[in-house]
Amino acid sequence: MTGWIVLGVLLLILLGLILYVILIYNGFVQLKNNINRDWSNIDVLLKQRYDELPKLIKVCEGYMQHEQKTLEAVIKARSMAGAARADQDRMQAQNALSETLKSLFMVVERYPDLKADAGFRQLSNRISELEDQIADRRELYNAAVTIYNTRIDQFPDVLIARPFNFTSRTLWEIDPTHRQDVDVSFQHS
Amino acid sequence: MSQETLLIVKQQSQPEGLDALLSRLAEEHGMDAYACRQRLMGQGFALLGRGARDTLERVSSLLKEAQFHHWLTTPTRPQFAPAQIRSLEQTVDGIVFTCQKKRVTFEKGTAVLAVLADLSGRLADRSAKQLISSYTYQGRDHITHLSEEKIYRTIMENKPVLDLYFLDDRKTIVEAVRVVPGKFDHKGLGERATLSSRRNLHEMIGLCREYAGDFQLETGLGLSTLPGCALDKLVDDNSDILRKNLKALTRYGWLMVELKQQGGISLQQEVTSLTGSLTAALLAQNPALAGSEDLAEAMPVVGELAAEINRATQAAASETATSTRPPTRSLPAPPEPVRVRRNWLSPKVWLGSVGGLLTAVVLILLGTTDSILPAMMHYGFEVGAFPALLAALMFCGGFHYLHLKRQVENTPTSKVRSVAMGMVEVKGKAIRQYALISPKTNIACAWYRLTNYRREGNKNWVISSVKSSETVPFLLEDETGRIVVDPAGATVRAGNKKEGFSSRNSISLAADYSDRNGSEKWVEEIIYEGTNLYVLGFASVKKEQGQSLNEKKREALRDLKRDSAAMKRFDTDEDGQISESEWEEARASVEDQVLKQSLGKNDRRRRQEEQIVIVNPTGRRPFIIAETHCETHLTRSFGYYAVPLFVGATVCTAWAISLLFG
């Protein structure tokens, strides 16, 4: 009789283990899909920003004849962002675009007429809003990737992750040069 | 030994920069921020501190910066109590009041400080109710105090008493009288006399105002927290309480006169000192005028300039007072609960029905109704079916909690500003979207669930009904914005639970234990406004209200078709017919116009709370609303539920096997 009880309990534990493995596996699938979804959600905003940029450049061109370099940099960065295909390239291209936009908004400070333009204000607000949302979603993406990468390296999840080939994903990191201190100079050339 | 100095402040309803002031009071003077907040916010006067004058002067400078009217005073004991009047007589030069032992003459043009108070002590209750109701219906950021008119009316409706202090040029008390409605001969009011004692008191105030040179009416007793000025609630006209309250009224009157003597370090005082500084500056430039006694006469320009500054400053002060008042937010009433109709085609209903039918068939096959119970006992316990069933249920329960734990752990937290459609996890503070209050404790809340119990037998409580606010959405606010949460179908873990043993509603904030041995009990789970919430649910777009852009376009095109004059504008070849190309042009023009109109109306982008709502996800995905300060606490609690369930399942399995083979 004791043997039957032991057998029964062992069977229950085995069943529990199988279900636990399924739970972990499904968890990985969900995490992987979450990461893909978060990435796609960033894409939605990037596309919106991509579509808004020509309008902004058009408004700026009328006022900023002497800042052709800055505007060209934005146009070039936009084209690169549109052409990038691999995840890593796209991340880098989008980072570069964000940086050129920052430069553009800094340069705009010298053009009070442009700053007063209602169309420019609306577009710049919209792009700033999109930038904020992109930053939020980038954080979310990184959080999802971190959870996933932690899970696949943790015990006992690692025992399921390895055989089923769940590999780690890349975080969206900023360009290392942007970690350096900003050199502020008030001397006009 | 030096006498103790009191620091008295005039409370403000919505003081600006209060948090900064409180932190400075706490840091620089070690004062308790919570106590200070209580003393500084309100409608009356409050004692902020007492002690050595030099210490209080340093606190005073902070209050001055924060524009709080305040006084540093060393109070003296009242030298006499106002004499109660029996009658009055109006003369050309003033009013003569006849009291029991003396006659007091109030000469025309005398400065008067009138203190009107409600001796029943109900003004404080009324004020508290006003605060609770404004908090409930307008939210925590828009609490409104009783208006001056309401204070006056409340005093008049209860037990009003009027003290009149007649002051000389140095603002010291010359005489004082007390007017108790119904206790004086009202004929002396002349044409003002009425048959209502309270109306006569009102007319008395009007009469004194008419005769006085400077008339000031104080109605703050009962709302103030000053030493020796607290009013007790009058029950059954208890003479001891009445006497005590009259003493408090006298003390309050004398203290008010003292504050009036000081004039206060108020905004007006600032103006006076500004005028003084200006005068001093001009005198410095023109020392010949320094000896002049009457500056206004000696320097009319200074007088005019000072008056101009006074007017400008007062205008600025009044403008600031009106402009800084926050707009009142009146929350709409909660929507009516929607009756959920049972969906007879849903799998749950079918499974339940089929399961019930099968059980009934099995029971019938097992034998007659008399033998059902023994048969169930036999198969349940002798064969081990019941423990096996219990083990299965516990096992499923354990996995359910484990699944929830992992689901919460695996979902990263989104910011409200950038929430995307789909399963999301957000954290923030609960804010009411509707004026929702809990039904038993009457507290402003974002969500509640009321469970009523009925006593069965001697001990057991059985649930008799459950009511919740699941049809009332609320807002979740984080540092980036707000989003609507529709709690219908959510697993809610509220942090606050109130219990009462009476079926009566209670206005008090504490649970009602007065009927502990009764046959009814209620338990109210509440999520207060402002508490930290964790929400895991499905973000979706709100159903569009009003016409969509396409509908607007269609309607505009229909209108265009009906308007022949407008159609003619598009008939470019003027053949009286609208060709296909002309119609295309007309359509493009109308669409453009509608789009412009639409953008013109909504030039701002819609906020998250206007377009996204977190709802119950479809399928087996969880919808959790939990009052918790951190996510780990929540996941740990799921773990704590899962472990005993697994242990229980193992024990029940062993039991079932032992019964089966035993």
Side-chain angles (χ1 to χ4, degrees), chain B residues 380-573:
Chain B
F381 287 103
E382 288 189 17
V383 181
F386 276 158
L389 191 68
L390 202 61
L393 287 174
M394 283 178 151
F395 196 65
C396 290
F399 264 98
H400 169 72
Y401 281 112
L402 206 60
H403 175 68
L404 275 183
K405 183 175 178 286
R406 290 189 75 94
Q407 187 85 38
V408 172
E409 282 170 349
N410 288 353
T411 315
T413 309
S414 299
K415 290 206 172 121
V416 163
R417 176 174 57 188
S418 56
V419 155
M421 302 302 106
M423 280 303 286
V424 289
E425 176 186 287
V426 278
K427 290 173 195 165
K429 286 193 188 313
I431 306 285
R432 291 182 308 158
Q433 199 182 11
Y434 294 94
L436 185 71
I437 51 169
S438 56
K440 287 290 179 189
T441 46
N442 295 320
I443 299 171
C445 61
W447 178 90
Y448 72 81
R449 176 165 51 215
L450 173 70
T451 313
N452 287 307
Y453 293 87
R454 197 179 61 246
R455 197 188 283 274
E456 289 224 336
N458 289 331
K459 286 180 182 176
N460 296 336
W461 289 104
V462 178
I463 294 173
S464 58
S465 66
V466 180
K467 183 185 169 190
S468 83
S469 67
E470 68 166 18
T471 55
V472 185
F474 61 86
L475 300 167
L476 190 90
E477 182 186 62
D478 73 357
E479 67 277 11
T480 61
R482 289 176 170 186
I483 195 165
V484 179
V485 179
D486 183 355
T491 306
V492 185
R493 291 158 62 97
N496 288 286
K497 202 180 262 192
K498 305 271 177 195
E499 192 178 307
F501 289 87
S502 166
S503 56
R504 282 179 287 123
N505 271 20
S506 167
I507 188 75
S508 69
L509 302 185
D512 184 1
Y513 291 97
S514 58
D515 195 16
R516 191 180 276 273
N517 296 321
S519 60
E520 286 180 359
K521 163 176 117 159
W522 53 264
V523 174
E524 203 172 59
E525 292 161 86
I526 308 165
I527 294 177
Y528 295 131
E529 188 171 34
T531 48
N532 288 318
L533 281 191
Y534 167 93
V535 176
L536 177 69
F538 190 83
S540 65
V541 180
K542 263 186 178 180
K543 280 180 188 164
E544 192 69 45
Q545 287 174 344
Q547 279 184 314
S548 69
L549 197 62
N550 278 337
E551 281 170 345
K552 282 180 192 164
K553 282 178 190 171
R554 275 199 295 273
E555 197 179 315
L557 286 171
R558 268 200 300 273
D559 290 344
L560 178 68
K561 279 181 190 169
R562 285 192 208 110
D563 189 355
S564 53
M567 284 289 271
K568 264 185 192 170
R569 281 194 293 121
F570 297 102
D571 186 11
T572 45
D573 53 9

Side-chain angles (χ1 to χ4, degrees), chain B residues 205-252:
Chain B
I205 294 169
L207 186 69
C208 292
R209 195 189 291 272
E210 196 180 299
Y211 276 81
D214 172 25
F215 186 84
Q216 188 183 335
L217 181 68
E218 271 300 330
T219 52
L221 182 66
L223 300 174
S224 302
T225 46
L226 293 171
C229 300
L231 288 180
D232 284 354
K233 199 181 269 185
L234 190 64
V235 184
D236 301 330
D237 279 351
N238 183 312
S239 57
D240 289 341
I241 298 175
L242 195 62
R243 209 172 299 123
K244 184 183 169 294
N245 285 355
L246 282 170
K247 275 184 187 171
L249 174 63
T250 307
R251 268 191 226 106
Y252 185 78

Side-chain angles (χ1 to χ4, degrees), chain B residues 32-287:
Chain B
D32 181 58
Y34 294 101
C36 287
R37 182 186 287 275
Q38 279 191 328
R39 305 265 166 98
L40 293 171
M41 286 185 76
Q43 280 184 289
F45 297 87
L47 178 71
L48 186 66
R50 62 201 310 168
R53 193 174 185 93
D54 54 342
T55 314
L56 293 176
E57 270 171 357
R58 286 199 292 275
V59 178
S60 163
S61 61
L62 288 182
L63 293 171
K64 198 173 170 184
E65 280 174 34
Q67 297 212 325
F68 263 96
H69 295 206
H70 63 284
W71 299 263
L72 282 169
T73 182
T74 313
T76 50
R77 283 174 67 83
Q79 288 163 20
F80 57 86
Q84 191 176 326
I85 68 160
R86 303 283 183 202
S87 63
L88 72 153
E89 189 188 336
Q90 294 182 49
T91 64
V92 185
D93 299 328
I95 307 170
V96 180
F97 294 105
T98 308
C99 305
Q100 197 175 8
K101 291 180 183 172
K102 59 179 179 181
R103 284 162 71 87
V104 176
T105 308
F106 165 27
E107 285 175 18
K108 211 168 192 174
T110 311
V112 175
L113 176 81
V115 179
L116 180 69
D118 164 31
L119 292 193
S120 71
R122 290 199 176 88
L123 183 61
D125 282 0
R126 180 80 182 79
S127 173
K129 276 184 189 171
Q130 162 72 23
L131 290 178
I132 291 171
S133 66
S134 72
Y135 172 71
T136 305
Y137 294 105
Q138 292 173 349
R140 63 192 170 129
D141 297 333
H142 304 284
I143 291 173
T144 51
H145 290 269
L146 281 177
S147 65
E148 287 294 326
E149 191 197 338
K150 275 186 186 165
I151 292 174
Y152 188 81
R153 212 164 50 208
T154 308
I155 295 172
M156 283 298 189
E157 280 167 0
N158 290 295
K159 202 164 181 61
V161 173
L162 176 72
D163 278 4
L164 296 167
Y165 293 89
F166 305 114
L167 314 174
D168 63 11
D169 294 341
R170 288 179 300 164
K171 292 178 185 167
T172 49
I173 300 172
V174 182
E175 282 291 353
V177 292
R178 177 162 289 164
V179 187
V180 181
K183 297 286 173 82
F184 69 95
D185 185 2
H186 61 276
K187 284 173 192 159
L189 289 170
E191 287 177 356
R192 288 173 178 265
T194 66
L195 292 174
S196 158
S197 60
R198 282 173 175 78
R199 181 76 199 167
N200 286 340
L201 185 70
H202 173 75
E203 293 299 338
M204 176 73 91
I205 294 169
L207 186 69
C208 292
R209 195 189 291 272
E210 196 180 299
Y211 276 81
D214 172 25
F215 186 84
Q216 188 183 335
L217 181 68
E218 271 300 330
T219 52
L221 182 66
L223 300 174
S224 302
T225 46
L226 293 171
C229 300
L231 288 180
D232 284 354
K233 199 181 269 185
L234 190 64
V235 184
D236 301 330
D237 279 351
N238 183 312
S239 57
D240 289 341
I241 298 175
L242 195 62
R243 209 172 299 123
K244 184 183 169 294
N245 285 355
L246 282 170
K247 275 184 187 171
L249 174 63
T250 307
R251 268 191 226 106
Y252 185 78
W254 279 82
L255 194 57
M256 286 300 109
V257 173
E258 272 177 36
L259 299 188
K260 194 174 167 65
Q261 280 169 355
Q262 284 198 20
I265 309 164
S266 61
L267 199 60
Q268 280 73 23
Q269 192 74 7
E270 292 282 314
V271 172
T272 318
S273 62
L274 181 66
T275 316
S277 308
L278 183 69
T279 314
L282 285 170
L283 285 175
Q285 286 174 356
N286 196 351

Side-chain angles (χ1 to χ4, degrees), chain B residues 350-365:
Chain B
W350 274 99
L351 279 173
S353 309
V354 172
L357 200 69
L358 280 175
T359 314
V361 170
V362 169
L363 289 174
I364 290 163
L365 287 174

Side-chain angles (χ1 to χ4, degrees), chain A residues 1 4 8-9 12 16 19-20 23 30-31 37 41 126 129 132-133 136-137 139-140 143 147 151 157, chain B residues 395 399 402-403 406-407 409-410 412-415 417-420 422-423 605 650 653-654 657-658 661:
Chain A
M1 225 275 283
W4 282 111
V9 171
L12 185 80
L19 287 174
Y20 191 60
L23 190 77
Q30 190 198 2
L31 279 170
R37 186 196 66 174
N41 285 338
R126 171 85 182 116
E129 221 173 77
D132 287 342
Q133 290 185 338
D136 290 347
R137 289 201 183 167
E139 269 179 38
L140 188 75
I147 293 171
R151 277 250 184 260
D157 300 34
Chain B
F395 196 65
F399 264 98
L402 206 60
H403 175 68
R406 290 189 75 94
Q407 187 85 38
E409 282 170 349
N410 288 353
T413 309
S414 299
K415 290 206 172 121
R417 176 174 57 188
S418 56
V419 155
M423 280 303 286
R605 268 176 62 75
T650 313
T653 309
I657 292 167
S658 70
F661 297 102

